[in-house]
Amino acid sequence: MQVVSASRPEWIAPFTGLRPGQFRKLVRTVAARGGEVIADGRRGRQWRLPLADRVLLVAVYWRTNLTMRQIGPLFGVSHSAAHRVIDSLGPLLALAPVRKRQVETVAIVDGTLVPTRDHRLAARSKNYRYSTNLQVAIDAETTVYDTSGIAEKLADRVVMADGGYQGTGVIMPYRKRTRDEVLPDWKEDLNTIHRGIRARVEHALAQMKVWKILRDYRRAASTLGSTASGIAYLRNLALTG
């Protein structure tokens, strides 16, 4: 018996953060990107689940980070079928590339460590776990818009960041050169404004980390970018509809 289904609206918000109407928009987007025509990976065999349920399965996996053997029975499919659904539909939920963006719009960038079990791209980090450094940028007045290729995406843009981005040409807070140095009031005032604006990207990162898959990434590290981009898209959709 299938336990979780998109046909039951009460399952949508807890696992996607979306209202039913927003979820239907998400399903239409995935369908337009080819989600309906993707087969089950077996010749002549269609998916057992309709597209809406498959999209919900991906969202449930990202939100809970359950294993395939746990998530499959929730949707009435085998763990291997659940794995194929995530592999095929996950990339289709990623943010669409922005064709044109106003150069004068200020962007804010920050990073977070995502514990990653695939050591091919991960490295031992300051928390002594193998992690991947995920970079996230947002428009100062809007929402998350990219989670990979930050340097290229932010070319010719005014960018704000914290002190960890020295030497990159971004706007950073003023720092004391020595422990005893006292910054003038005007620099302290600008630092206060800078912290207030930069807090927006920190809030965005915190909201993305609600999706537990970003707390312990068990899949191939090469898929982390599209997964984080999909989570960013779900967050943007929840904010903007």
Side-chain angles (χ1 to χ4, degrees):
M1 179 181 294
Q2 185 170 312
V3 178
V4 179
S5 173
S7 62
R8 298 171 59 185
E10 64 269 22
W11 290 112
I12 293 175
F15 293 115
T16 68
L18 304 176
R19 298 189 298 274
Q22 294 171 328
F23 181 76
R24 288 193 293 271
K25 180 179 179 180
L26 174 65
V27 174
R28 289 195 298 270
T29 299
V30 174
R33 293 176 177 177
E36 286 281 20
V37 300
I38 296 176
D40 188 15
R42 302 179 184 181
R43 192 168 186 173
R45 179 167 178 171
Q46 297 301 312
W47 294 105
R48 177 174 178 179
L49 299 175
L51 181 60
D53 283 354
R54 284 182 276 140
V55 172
L56 183 60
L57 187 152
V58 175
V60 171
Y61 173 62
W62 288 350
R63 178 74 80 172
T64 64
N65 206 17
L66 295 172
T67 65
M68 296 300 105
R69 292 187 181 277
Q70 292 171 322
I71 202 169
L74 289 179
F75 285 83
V77 298
S78 67
H79 68 276
S80 58
H83 194 282
R84 294 194 299 274
V85 168
I86 293 165
D87 279 347
S88 63
L89 286 192
L92 300 185
L93 271 68
L95 286 167
V98 178
R99 295 183 178 180
K100 186 176 180 181
R101 187 177 297 277
Q102 295 181 352
V103 175
E104 63 271 17
T105 304
V106 176
I108 316 170
V109 64
D110 202 356
T112 186
L113 292 176
V114 177
T116 307
R117 301 195 187 188
D118 183 356
H119 295 180
R120 289 174 293 179
L121 293 180
R124 193 178 295 277
S125 60
K126 59 186 179 182
N127 59 7
Y128 302 105
R129 299 183 65 182
Y130 276 86
S131 303
T132 302
N133 189 354
L134 176 67
Q135 297 291 305
V136 172
I138 69 170
D139 283 344
E141 301 298 334
T142 55
T143 53
V144 177
Y145 73 91
D146 196 77
T147 50
S148 62
I150 291 295
E152 294 77 12
K153 297 294 183 180
L154 299 182
D156 302 322
R157 299 282 302 279
V158 177
V159 181
M160 299 180 66
D162 60 22
Y165 291 80
Q166 295 186 53
T168 60
V170 304
I171 300 174
M172 297 185 301
Y174 290 100
R175 304 180 68 180
K176 297 179 180 180
R177 298 179 181 176
T178 64
R179 180 176 300 179
D180 297 328
E181 180 183 1
V182 178
L183 293 177
D185 290 342
W186 67 272
K187 287 188 177 181
E188 290 289 3
D189 291 341
L190 287 176
N191 282 353
T192 299
I193 296 173
H194 189 283
R195 285 192 296 269
I197 297 175
R198 200 179 70 244
R200 299 171 190 172
V201 73
E202 295 171 353
H203 293 160
L205 282 171
Q207 291 168 0
M208 289 178 68
K209 281 294 190 78
V210 169
W211 300 79
K212 292 185 178 180
I213 193 171
L214 296 183
R215 300 182 186 182
D216 182 16
Y217 201 76
R218 300 191 301 267
R219 305 190 69 222
S222 59
T223 65
L224 175 57
S226 62
T227 298
S229 185
I231 291 171
Y233 178 56
L234 288 169
R235 176 186 178 274
N236 287 356
L237 191 60
L239 291 176
T240 64

